[in-house]
Amino acid sequence: MAVYSENNNGILYRKRLKKHAASVCKVKSIKKLLPITEWLPRYNLSFLIQDIIAGITVGLTAIPQGIAYAVVAGLSPEYGLYASLTSGFVYIVFGSCKYVTVGPTAIVSTMVAKYVLGYSPDFAILAAFLSGVLILLMGVFNLGFLVDFISLPVIKGFTIAAALQIAASQLKSFFALAGPSGNYFAESVYYFAINIKTARLWDPILATITIIMLILLQKLGLGCKRTDDLLKQIRWFISLARNAVVVVIGMIVAYIIKVTLDDEPLALVGNIDKGLPKIQPPPFNTVVGNETYLFSDMLEVLGPQSIVLPLVVILESVAISKAFAEGGKVDATQEMIALGLCNIVGSFAGSMPITGSFTRTALNYASGVQTQAGGVTKCLLIIVSLTFLTSTFYYIPNASLAGLIIVAMFSMIEYEIILQLWKVSKREFFLLTITIIVCLCTGLEYGIVAGIVLEALILLFYQSRPTIQVNTLKSDAGEITVITLPDAVPYCAAEHLRRLLLKVSMKLDANYVTVIDGTNLKSMDTTVAANLLSVIEDYVRRLRPIWLLNFNSEVKNMCLVVNKNISDKFISAPNVLDFAISFRKEV
């Protein structure tokens, strides 16, 4: 009876332990999926003050940038604010990095522009929804590793080309030109050349002044952050909010000219819809002009190249998260889930596609944000802007936004990477150059795809051309040629390996003993095995001695399945020295 009771208690204890473990796993899963459950219980007054300061700083940049990037996308300015608003609230709950600020960015806006110009904003909203669904699925199924196939030269080439393209597209607003701005760099330069005669006087002057002010304001805050001097702290804050400062100055100038001269010599943003976005499902059909586009028609307009958009969204956000995450560690899967939900939820509130913003994330970091709650203040500022300030935004000059965007774009270009790759890797420099050229001449989507495909072809070429080591050993038993195989030989290298082995055999005297050393070889497939055994058969036909040394059991069994007659060719030894009995090594 005592034994039964003890066993029974043990069973009950194990059941309770399993139940507790399951409970712990469930709690960990919830905390991982909802990072807000990690930081919210620890929230305090000190965090609140820091988050409010950071939120105001970021909000003063997010508003002008949101308006500017909406214009880049060919949308009405309020769409940029809608995107920052909805995504901001979602990321507070699901975002894993407290520094990251999501919203519209220059690159994503440029990629969306081709779907808006000539059609309608509904295509941008649908693109946000579809991108969000795809990103969410990739996060759920842990497919983020696919992004790892995009190499650094391709990413840098894409970024440089995107910066140049976006800057070129702003030439229209910079000079207040008539006509379109173009969908890619070469087209933008072409339209600029044929429309330069329509340039106005005051717009390029204001845009140039804006650029100079931004550069000076950036320098104004250098060395002013870590100080108790109130004046320096004010300088630091003004420097951080420089985007808002130059836009406000531009608005004041435009308003004064309008009131005093009763004229508008500057091209202005114009009317912006007042109020918060309407909550409604994303558009699965739309009307453009007198033509109705069903969901299938809209997908046809977006085209297969639109698959690049969610990849770029993931690339931007994950790269930013890694750059600013504490300890350099970031949960890429959670970031993808957060991004996917930001885009999906945003599409129900008229949002364009969004991702992490490097500029605003850097501001968040510099402002000392403590938790994701810093986004609340930013979102509240955007709500105030949409509710009360839209009539004021009418006076924002397009030239001011153009100057702001051009400065932001040239800060994205990493000139040093070009010189670095030229010095250390001509192959990667070539890859970078091709990516840039294709992006500039045909469009960003085609450029990054061309870079990925070219990188894959180069990778396949190198995989199909493995190197083998050939050493000659001399011993009392005769001369031995040792051919050392690499650790892995893919099927695409099978023929190349066969040619190399035959080439070596042609150079050897008939009395040489050949040893193919498979000590390093971890894996190969049947294609390689068949080609390797054809070389063995060639040696046998010519009555030349050959041995297969230290092949692991898996590779050996594969070879025996392909050809059972070579079982006597396999040998095992600690090294070639033991096999040769006695020798003196000469290279």
Side-chain angles (χ1 to χ4, degrees), residues 129-332:
F129 174 78
L130 296 177
S131 296
V133 170
L134 185 59
I135 294 169
L136 180 62
L137 290 175
M138 291 179 69
V140 170
F141 292 104
N142 291 315
L143 296 178
F145 72 91
L146 294 174
V147 180
D148 296 337
F149 286 94
I150 307 177
S151 66
L152 180 66
V154 173
I155 294 173
K156 296 300 182 184
F158 172 80
T159 304
I160 292 171
L164 292 174
Q165 177 178 323
I166 294 162
S169 70
Q170 293 308 299
L171 292 174
K172 172 181 167 63
S173 297
F174 193 99
F175 291 94
L177 302 178
S181 61
N183 291 323
Y184 49 90
F185 180 83
E187 193 176 55
S188 296
V189 173
Y190 170 75
Y191 284 131
F192 170 72
I194 64 174
N195 294 318
I196 187 62
K197 293 181 181 179
T198 66
R200 295 184 183 183
L201 173 62
W202 297 108
D203 292 84
I205 292 175
L206 178 60
T208 303
I209 293 173
T210 299
I211 291 174
I212 295 172
M213 287 180 61
L214 284 169
I215 295 172
L216 293 177
L217 287 173
Q218 183 179 17
K219 294 182 180 298
L220 180 70
L222 294 178
C224 296
K225 181 182 177 182
R226 306 297 181 186
T227 179
D228 296 328
D229 189 329
L230 180 60
L231 181 60
K232 287 188 175 182
Q233 288 182 349
I234 294 173
R235 283 172 52 190
W236 175 71
F237 182 78
I238 293 174
S239 177
L240 290 181
R242 58 186 175 274
N243 289 331
V245 171
V246 297
V247 170
V248 170
I249 291 174
M251 289 168 57
I252 293 172
V253 170
Y255 180 76
I256 291 173
I257 293 174
K258 171 76 172 177
V259 172
T260 55
L261 301 180
D262 195 22
D263 189 18
E264 291 184 2
L266 297 169
L268 305 178
V269 166
N271 293 317
I272 298 179
D273 289 344
K274 182 179 181 180
L276 299 178
K278 295 180 181 178
I279 306 300
Q280 57 188 7
F284 295 107
N285 57 73
T286 188
V287 177
V288 180
N290 296 322
E291 187 176 356
T292 300
Y293 285 79
L294 301 177
F295 181 61
S296 57
D297 300 322
M298 297 180 77
L299 288 179
E300 188 175 344
V301 170
L302 293 175
Q305 68 271 21
S306 62
I307 194 70
V308 174
L309 182 60
L311 293 179
V312 172
V313 168
I314 295 170
L315 267 177
E316 279 200 81
S317 191
V318 172
I320 291 168
S321 299
K322 287 182 177 179
F324 288 94
E326 294 175 341
K329 295 181 180 179
V330 61
D331 187 345

Side-chain angles (χ1 to χ4, degrees), residues 27-44:
V27 170
K28 286 184 177 179
S29 299
I30 292 174
K31 286 186 175 181
K32 184 179 179 180
L33 182 62
L34 298 172
I36 190 173
T37 58
E38 284 274 4
W39 57 262
L40 189 59
R42 298 182 286 104
Y43 206 73
N44 56 47

Side-chain angles (χ1 to χ4, degrees), residues 323-342:
F324 288 94
E326 294 175 341
K329 295 181 180 179
V330 61
D331 187 345
T333 298
Q334 181 59 33
E335 280 300 296
M336 290 168 66
I337 291 173
L339 272 179
L341 291 172
C342 283

